[in-house]
Amino acid sequence: MKGIAMAVSGLALLGSAQAQAQAQANADAAYPNRPVTIVVPHPPGGSVDSLARMFAVKLGEELKQSVIIDNRAGASGMVGAGVVARSTPDGYTLYLNASIHNINPLLYKKKMAFDAVKDFTPISGLAQGALIFSVNNNVPARTVQEFVKVLKADPGKYSFATTGFGSAGHLAIAQFAYEAGLSSLDIPIVLYRGGGPALTDLIGGQVHGLIDPMLSSLPMVKTDKIRALAVTGAKRSPLLPDVPTMQEAGLKNFEFYSWYGLWAPAKLPDAIQKKLDAATQKVMTSASMKEQLSGLGFESAYRNGADFAQYIQAETARYSTIIEQAHITAE
C-alpha cells in the first residue's frame, strides 16, 4: 500500500508540474496582455531617455500594448538597474541603458548590489552614437592637434568636463589623453550632473573641453556657442560634414561610441525574449526609426541577444584597458 501511495503521490506531483508548465507556456504565448514598463536609470531629457521614449512608442505599436517609461535615476544608473535586477522576469519590466551599465562594474566593484551580467537577460542592441569633441570658443585651437599643443604648453590652465563618472564621454577623454601623450599631465576632469550644467560652464569658460553625445552638444555647435574639433566615430557625421573624425585629426586608433541596449531581468523565458527581440528588430531597422535616430546623431545598431552579449563582453574588455591606463578609480 505504501508503494501505491508513493506512486499516486508521484503522479500527482508530475501532473502538477505539467499543469504549471502549461500555464507558464500559455502566459508566455499571451505576452503581453498588460502594459510593459521600461526602466530608464537616468533623468528625463538626456540621450538615454530620449532614445527610450522614441523606442517605447514604436515598441508599443509592434506589441500592440502600452509601453511606459519609468525614470529611476541615481548612483550612475545603478538605482534603476537594481530595480530591474530584483524584478520578476516576466517581460513586463525591461531596462534600457547606455554603455555605462557595463562600465559601472569596473569602477564600483565593492558597491554594486547586483551583477551587471548575471542578473540580466540581454534582449537586443539598439543604437549607437558618435560623440562630439568640443571646446570653449576662447580656446586658441581649431584642430585636435592644436589643442594638444595648447594643453602640453600649459596643462594647469585647462580642464575637461564630463557629464558622468565612468560615462562614455569620461572614458573618451581618458583615451584621448592617453593616445595624445597627455596622461602624465595634471589636466583636471570636472564631474557634472548631466549635460546641461557641463555645457553651460563650457560656454562660459569655466571648463575648456568636453566629449559628449551629439544629442546634447550638437545644438550648441550649430549656434556657434562652442567649437567642434572632431567627432569620435569611424566616419564623419552627416550632421557635421565639415568636422573631421578623431582618426582624421591624427589619433589613428581612436573610435568611440556611446551605445544603447535593452535588457530584462535574468531568467526571462525564451519565448518572451524571442518575441521582444523580433519586435525590437522591426523597430530599430525601420526606415522611420533610422531617420529619427539620424536627426539626433544616432544610428541604428541592432544586435540580437546573442550578438549583443558578445559585443558587451568585447566592449567591457576595452573599457577595462582604458580605465587601467588612465588609473580611473572610484573607491
Side-chain angles (χ1 to χ4, degrees):
M1 293 295 292
K2 184 176 180 180
I4 294 174
M6 289 178 66
V8 170
S9 175
L11 288 172
L13 288 172
L14 177 61
S16 176
Q18 290 175 336
Q20 289 177 0
Q22 185 59 50
Q24 183 62 57
N26 292 340
D28 294 350
Y31 173 86
N33 56 17
R34 56 187 171 88
V36 174
T37 296
I38 297 179
V39 174
V40 175
H42 304 283
S47 60
V48 180
D49 179 73
S50 297
L51 174 61
R53 292 180 186 278
M54 289 167 49
F55 174 70
V57 172
K58 299 291 187 180
L59 181 65
E61 292 173 0
E62 288 295 328
L63 296 178
K64 297 179 173 54
Q65 187 57 259
S66 298
V67 179
I68 302 163
I69 298 297
D70 182 9
N71 294 94
R72 297 289 190 98
S76 191
M78 290 185 285
V79 170
V83 169
V84 177
R86 295 188 296 270
S87 297
T88 303
D90 55 10
Y92 291 98
T93 301
L94 306 178
Y95 172 68
L96 194 153
N97 201 1
S99 43
I100 196 166
H101 175 69
N102 291 91
I103 295 171
N104 281 333
L106 303 174
L107 299 172
Y108 302 102
K109 297 175 183 177
K110 297 178 182 179
K111 296 181 181 179
M112 293 186 68
F114 57 87
D115 189 303
V117 175
K118 294 180 180 179
D119 290 340
F120 293 84
T121 299
I123 296 172
S124 310
L126 301 178
Q128 65 183 26
L131 312 175
I132 300 177
F133 186 177
S134 58
V135 295
N136 170 268
N137 283 331
N138 293 324
V139 170
R142 293 192 170 273
T143 69
V144 171
Q145 293 302 331
E146 286 179 1
F147 192 36
V148 170
K149 291 179 181 178
V150 166
L151 292 170
K152 287 182 175 179
D154 195 356
K157 184 178 178 180
Y158 297 95
S159 61
F160 282 94
T162 181
T163 60
F165 188 82
S167 66
H170 186 189
L171 296 196
I173 292 170
Q175 186 180 3
F176 160 70
Y178 180 80
E179 294 196 15
L182 301 169
S183 296
S184 62
L185 304 180
D186 186 18
I187 303 173
I189 299 177
V190 183
L191 176 62
Y192 286 85
R193 292 181 178 274
L199 284 163
T200 296
D201 277 7
L202 180 65
I203 293 168
Q206 285 78 20
V207 289
H208 306 90
L210 174 68
I211 302 181
D212 199 43
M214 286 198 181
L215 179 67
S216 49
S217 289
L218 185 62
M220 303 299 108
V221 172
K222 289 288 192 181
T223 54
D224 295 324
K225 293 180 179 178
I226 56 178
R227 181 186 306 136
L229 300 184
V231 293
T232 66
K235 57 186 178 181
R236 294 193 183 198
S237 168
L239 300 176
L240 292 170
D242 296 329
V243 177
T245 66
M246 292 288 278
Q247 293 177 352
E248 290 176 321
L251 278 75
K252 300 302 183 183
N253 298 317
F254 200 106
E255 184 179 341
F256 213 105
Y257 299 93
S258 180
W259 54 261
Y260 307 82
L262 184 69
W263 292 262
K267 300 180 181 178
L268 182 72
D270 288 344
I272 294 178
Q273 193 277 335
K274 290 177 181 178
K275 186 175 288 188
L276 283 168
D277 178 51
T280 298
Q281 182 179 18
K282 288 182 179 180
V283 169
M284 298 311 300
T285 59
S286 68
S288 61
M289 177 58 84
K290 288 181 178 180
E291 184 177 357
Q292 283 184 279
L293 291 170
S294 178
L296 297 174
F298 297 128
E299 59 183 306
S300 176
Y302 165 76
R303 293 178 174 88
N304 64 33
D307 290 345
F308 185 37
Q310 290 183 352
Y311 179 75
I312 289 171
Q313 186 176 18
E315 285 291 278
T316 302
R318 186 164 75 99
Y319 298 146
S320 179
T321 298
I322 293 171
I323 288 169
E324 288 176 8
Q325 289 173 345
H327 306 291
I328 299 172
T329 58
E331 300 172 319

